[in-house]
Amino acid sequence: MQLGIVGLPASGKTTLFQAITKTHLDGAAMAKTEAHLGVVRVPDERLDRCAAIFSPKSTVHATIEFVDVAGLKKGASGTAQFTTGFLSAVKTNDALIQVVRLFRNDAVPHADGNIDPLRDVATFETEFILADMAVLESRIEKIHKQLGRTHDEQMKHELPVLEKCLALLHAEKPLRNEDLSKEELHILKTYQLLSLKPMLIALSLDESQQSIKDEEIARVAAAKAGLRTRVAAFFGKIDMEMSELSDDEARLFMDEYGIRESALDTLIREAYALLGLQSFLTVGEEE
Ligand SMILES: Nc1nc2c(ncn2[C@@H]2O[C@H](COP(=O)(O)OP(=O)(O)OP(=O)(O)O)[C@@H](O)[C@H]2O)c(=O)[nH]1
Ligand SMILES: [Mg+2]
C-alpha cells in the first residue's frame, strides 16, 4: 500500500513524514523538490505475540510506503497549482493524506495569511476537481470524435459514466464520496482520477492545541467527511521528537503530554478503515 502525503506549502507534511518514517532530513534534503519515500512496518501487537509463541525463523510485518510529495506551489494567478511532478507522483498512490495546518508558527507564516482549515481543504479540492475535469473532458471529446467515425461498443459503454462523473465535478463534488458501482469504478480506473482517491484529512496541531483537537476534527468532519473521506489529527512536532526516542521513553513522553496515540498509529488505523483493509495473520515454522 502506498500513501501520498499532500497538502499546501508549509502545512507540516515533511514533519509528519519524518515522524512516521523515523528519518531525519537535513535542510538541503528538506528543500529538495522531489518526493521523499519511506517504508514503514505496520506495528501489530498480535503479530508480536504470535512471534513470541511460535518463534518462527522470521517475522514479517505488513509494510506501508509513505511518499512526501512536494509540488503544490502558488501559481502566477495566485491560485495553487499542481505541477506535473506532483500529478505523476500521486497518480499511483492508493490513498492520500492531506495535511492541513492548524498549528501557529509566526516564523513560518501561512501563505494565505491566516489559519483556516476548511478554506485550505477547499483550495486543494478545487485543484483535484479541475485536474480531473481536464482528463475527463479530453477523453469525452475523443470518444465523441471516434464514435462519429466508427462504432465502438466499449466507448459507447464508457461515455455515460464519464459524462456522469464530469457533471458531478461541475457540481464541485469530489468523486471519492460518490456511491459509484463496481462497473463504473472499473471504467474509471484507467484514468487515475485524483478526486476519486480515498482521502484522509490530517489536521496538524501544535502541542498547545490539545484541548481543541476533538472539536476541530468534528468541525472539519461535519463539512468534509464522506464515503471515502475521513478526518484525523496529529501533533507533528511532538511526534517528530518522539520518533527519536526508544519505545519506553516514547510512552513516557506521550503520557506526559496526554497523547493517546502516535501519528503513525493514527494514520495506519485510518488508512485501513478508509481502504476497507483487514489484516490476517499466518503462522508457520519458517515465517
Ligand atoms: N510550531 C510548530 N511548528 C511546526 C509544526 N509542524 C511543523 N512546523 C514547522 O512548520 C514549518 C513547515 O513544516 P514542514 O513539515 O516543512 O511543512 P511542509 O508541508 O513539508 O512544507 P513544504 O514542503 O515547504 O510545503 C517548519 O519550519 C516546521 O518546523 C508544529 O506542530 N508546531
Ligand atoms: Mg516538505
Side-chain angles (χ1 to χ4, degrees):
M1 167 162 54
Q2 193 181 61
L3 303 178
I5 302 175
V6 300
L8 292 176
S11 51
K13 301 182 292 295
T14 305
T15 303
L16 176 66
F17 175 81
Q18 293 181 96
I20 56 184
T21 57
K22 298 187 191 293
T23 48
H24 185 77
L25 301 170
D26 58 20
M30 291 270 289
K32 265 201 265 172
T33 49
E34 66 248 39
H36 304 291
L37 185 77
V39 180
V40 173
R41 295 202 312 187
V42 175
D44 193 330
E45 227 174 83
R46 297 166 303 168
L47 184 66
D48 300 335
R49 290 235 208 146
C50 286
I53 295 169
F54 296 94
S55 320
K57 285 184 188 141
S58 73
T59 303
V60 186
H61 284 75
T63 56
I64 296 184
E65 254 178 59
F66 286 95
V67 195
D68 174 14
V69 190
L72 191 85
K73 293 283 170 257
K74 288 275 157 181
S77 61
T79 58
Q81 273 162 5
F82 292 148
T83 63
T84 45
F86 175 89
L87 292 173
S88 59
V90 295
K91 261 185 185 171
T92 53
N93 292 164
D94 297 305
L96 300 176
I97 298 168
Q98 182 187 356
V99 176
V100 178
R101 177 167 168 175
L102 260 167
F103 67 83
R104 293 172 196 283
N105 184 335
D106 293 338
V108 194
H110 189 294
D112 289 316
N114 64 329
I115 302 294
D116 184 347
L118 286 177
R119 175 203 58 204
D120 289 355
V121 172
T123 302
F124 223 76
E125 201 70 270
T126 304
E127 290 295 320
F128 280 121
I129 287 175
L130 289 175
D132 285 355
M133 277 170 132
V135 172
L136 290 183
E137 273 164 3
S138 87
R139 178 66 186 159
I140 288 170
E141 199 187 302
K142 238 185 221 157
I143 291 181
H144 275 303
K145 266 190 202 154
Q146 196 75 25
L147 286 179
R149 286 198 295 268
T150 57
H151 182 80
D152 185 316
E153 263 320 305
Q154 177 59 31
M155 285 186 178
K156 251 179 102 175
H157 189 61
E158 217 178 271
L159 191 59
V161 178
L162 301 186
E163 283 174 337
K164 168 183 167 180
C165 289
L166 185 60
L168 287 165
L169 295 172
H170 274 293
E172 293 177 31
K173 291 186 177 158
L175 300 177
R176 79 177 82 84
N177 292 338
E178 296 302 318
D179 191 11
L180 300 166
S181 70
K182 247 188 182 162
E183 205 184 357
E184 288 170 324
L185 289 171
H186 182 73
I187 288 172
L188 295 175
K189 206 170 172 189
T190 40
Y191 301 110
Q192 300 178 314
L193 300 171
L194 297 176
S195 80
L196 188 55
K197 286 195 187 295
M199 166 101 76
L200 173 64
I201 297 173
L203 306 174
S204 172
L205 295 156
D206 201 78
E207 62 261 34
S208 64
Q209 294 172 313
Q210 293 260 22
S211 58
I212 60 165
K213 179 184 156 196
D214 292 339
E215 151 197 349
E216 284 295 326
I217 292 178
R219 193 169 72 92
V220 175
K224 298 292 174 189
L227 191 60
R228 291 187 204 85
T229 309
R230 295 177 66 95
V231 183
F234 67 98
F235 300 92
K237 264 268 160 72
I238 302 185
D239 265 285
M240 202 169 110
E241 284 168 29
M242 233 161 52
S243 69
E244 287 164 13
L245 305 175
S246 70
D247 286 354
D248 287 342
E249 287 171 330
R251 204 148 295 138
L252 283 176
F253 197 81
M254 278 169 73
D255 285 346
E256 192 178 313
Y257 279 101
I259 292 175
R260 294 188 295 269
E261 192 179 52
S262 73
L264 179 61
D265 288 341
T266 306
L267 294 189
I268 288 174
R269 184 168 45 75
E270 291 292 333
Y272 271 61
L274 203 54
L275 295 167
L277 295 178
Q278 246 181 312
S279 291
F280 287 83
L281 308 181
T282 56
V283 173
E285 264 174 34
E286 290 296 318
E287 213 171 78

